[in-house]
Amino acid sequence: FFFRRRHETRHRQAATAGSMSKEAASGQAQYGIATAASKLDCVQIDGLVVLKIIKHSRDEGNPNEMVSGQLLGMDITQNDTTTLEVTSCFPMPHSSEEDQSGEDMEQYVTEMLRCMRDVNVDNNTVGWYMSTYMNSWLDPEGPTVATQFQFQDSVPKSVCLVYDPVRTLSGSVHLKAYRLSDRFMAKYRDHQEKQAADKNHHGFTEVDIKPKLDWANKIVDEGITIDDIFEEVPIRIHNSALVMAMLYDWACEGTMGSKLHCDFERLDLSSRPFLEKSVENMVDGIEALRQDQERAEYRKRDAERKRKDARRNAQTELSKEELTKMYPDPSRLEGLLIANQVRSYCDSISNFTGQSLSKLYLVKGLQEDQKGAAL
């Protein structure tokens, strides 16, 4: 039952995310797109957008369920520095029905963009946001890579904002912006073109992802590694002058504590549940990576055996390219995504344990001071 529900959720997420990118492309044809350059140095997000994303995730009630929506704004280039300003957003409707019509989603996005334009709000789609649970956004079977590729293919400066509600409970908003690297975009575009021409072919074989050398042993193509899939873009939270003035008035009146609830979540010392789940997911990811490598090796040996049989039984001599086209090597895209997810688990464990150790040393120092004062 669990795996069936998980498959249904992934199917629904992929359908929703795919329709989001299609509607974004159609909406941009009506309301304009960002500039053609793909360089992006910083993402500036309005505080209201961050609050909307957090509220959308909390309204869902279940942190395991992914919520998503579209980001609106514009990009500005000054002094060779390109900043993507995210000024508004709106959620995508969530439905438990798998047969949700793509036309309904298209009509919803078009109406939302039209309403934004009517009230004089930025209506250019500059990306999308999604919530994640324990780095589930990097799931190889999820829609993240395909959806972000479609966004960046139509809007080169689009980003994906990833919000983690579980990490946010520790006291700091866990929100990051990611983009697909230019190298991965070119390789994935070649992969899509090959699959469109022939479903048996793809652009992520072992030969494609390895570095290529010329006759002088100079690197012609550096290939693709797990570091070349996503690139993180720095985030800057921006508040309007009116919001800053309101917060300043609250601070001057001395009513900040009564209006804003402070529960000292940053001093929470409990780290066992998060670490246990992270280590468990990391072990599962390593096992999935091992199984993927075994499957790839088996399919590679099977393809080589079929090529030898075809060359032996062919009436005319077949070239190596013809044999490779008939029996291609297995794709290693899923292995790259699994390895990237495992690396993300390791980074999360390292960062979280560092913060936990800092808190423990702080508490230890406070206890020693209290004992010294008591004596």
Side-chain angles (χ1 to χ4, degrees):
F1 173 77
F2 171 76
F3 288 105
R4 181 173 62 84
R5 291 288 298 174
R6 187 179 182 185
H7 174 73
E8 292 176 355
T9 301
R10 286 173 175 169
H11 179 80
R12 185 169 62 253
Q13 292 173 358
T16 303
S19 60
M20 281 174 53
S21 58
K22 292 180 181 178
E23 316 334 327
S26 61
Q28 287 140 14
Q30 302 176 22
Y31 304 106
I33 61 174
T35 57
S38 60
K39 178 186 175 183
L40 189 60
D41 299 307
C42 179
V43 178
Q44 179 176 296
I45 310 174
D46 281 3
L48 183 60
V49 175
V50 178
L51 293 178
K52 286 182 178 179
I53 295 175
I54 296 175
K55 183 178 183 299
H56 186 197
S57 177
R58 289 185 177 180
D59 290 344
E60 184 63 29
N62 184 10
N64 298 335
E65 191 72 24
M66 185 194 81
V67 298
S68 59
Q70 289 202 13
L71 303 175
L72 306 176
M74 60 184 301
D75 61 278
I76 298 176
T77 302
Q78 292 181 347
N79 300 327
D80 295 333
T81 300
T82 303
T83 301
L84 182 67
E85 294 186 356
V86 181
T87 58
S88 182
C89 68
F90 62 87
M92 296 298 293
H94 176 74
S95 176
S96 59
E97 299 179 0
E98 294 186 6
D99 55 349
Q100 189 174 9
S101 174
E103 296 180 357
D104 296 338
M105 299 292 292
E106 180 180 357
Q107 183 179 3
Y108 169 78
V109 174
T110 304
E111 288 296 329
M112 288 297 296
L113 293 176
R114 183 178 293 110
C115 292
M116 294 292 182
R117 184 190 59 181
D118 293 340
V119 296
N120 200 22
V121 176
D122 290 335
N123 52 77
N124 298 324
T125 301
V126 294
W128 62 302
Y129 71 85
M130 63 181 297
S131 64
T132 182
Y133 174 72
M134 304 296 293
N135 291 326
S136 60
W137 70 282
L138 290 172
D139 193 341
E141 299 180 8
T144 306
V145 174
T147 305
Q148 183 60 25
F149 172 80
Q150 293 177 3
F151 267 101
Q152 283 187 225
D153 194 37
S154 57
V155 185
K157 293 182 181 178
S158 61
V159 297
C160 174
L161 292 183
V162 180
Y163 169 69
D164 192 340
V166 177
R167 297 289 298 274
T168 303
L169 293 177
S170 61
S172 59
V173 178
H174 191 81
L175 184 68
K176 293 187 177 182
Y178 293 96
R179 301 178 74 250
L180 294 176
S181 65
D182 294 337
R183 187 181 304 171
F184 185 84
M185 284 287 295
K187 186 67 67 174
Y188 197 85
R189 185 177 292 107
D190 179 66
H191 167 72
Q192 295 281 11
E193 292 175 355
K194 288 183 177 180
Q195 280 199 330
D198 189 350
K199 294 183 179 180
N200 295 327
H201 288 74
H202 41 77
F204 282 94
T205 62
E206 187 175 352
V207 178
D208 295 326
I209 64 177
K210 283 186 175 181
K212 296 180 176 60
L213 306 176
D214 59 3
W215 59 273
N217 289 332
K218 294 183 179 180
I219 298 178
V220 180
D221 185 0
E222 296 182 357
I224 294 293
T225 63
I226 59 175
D227 297 326
D228 299 324
I229 301 178
F230 288 99
E231 58 183 15
E232 185 177 353
V233 184
I235 288 180
R236 182 172 65 245
I237 306 297
H238 173 265
N239 290 317
S240 64
L242 291 176
V243 174
M244 298 299 295
M246 181 187 65
L247 295 177
Y248 180 76
D249 288 342
W250 282 2
C252 293
E253 293 174 1
T255 58
M256 181 70 75
S258 61
K259 291 182 178 294
L260 299 179
H261 177 62
C262 182
D263 52 4
F264 301 100
E265 292 177 344
R266 295 176 183 270
L267 300 179
D268 186 14
L269 300 179
S270 62
S271 59
R272 181 177 177 181
F274 178 81
L275 288 180
E276 285 183 352
K277 190 64 177 178
S278 298
V279 172
E280 180 182 348
N281 291 335
M282 182 183 66
V283 173
D284 293 341
I286 294 175
E287 177 65 20
L289 181 61
R290 183 190 66 82
Q291 295 178 0
D292 179 78
Q293 291 177 345
E294 290 181 353
R295 288 193 301 267
E297 290 296 330
Y298 172 78
R299 292 172 182 173
K300 181 179 179 181
R301 291 194 300 267
D302 185 63
E304 292 176 351
R305 179 182 58 81
K306 291 181 179 179
R307 292 173 198 158
K308 292 180 181 180
D309 294 340
R311 177 177 297 177
R312 187 184 307 112
N313 299 330
Q315 298 179 355
T316 59
E317 185 177 358
L318 299 175
S319 63
K320 183 179 180 180
E321 290 75 12
E322 293 175 342
L323 291 174
T324 304
K325 186 176 181 180
M326 294 171 57
Y327 304 103
D329 290 332
S331 174
R332 302 308 305 270
L333 176 59
E334 184 175 357
L336 281 174
L337 298 178
I338 296 176
N340 186 34
Q341 189 177 30
V342 172
R343 195 268 304 272
S344 178
Y345 286 136
C346 296
D347 293 342
S348 298
I349 293 174
S350 177
N351 296 333
F352 190 80
T353 51
Q355 296 175 2
S356 299
L357 287 176
S358 300
K359 294 178 183 178
L360 291 176
Y361 275 110
L362 175 62
V363 173
K364 180 181 178 181
L366 293 176
Q367 291 178 348
E368 291 176 354
D369 292 342
Q370 290 179 356
K371 290 180 180 179
L375 294 177

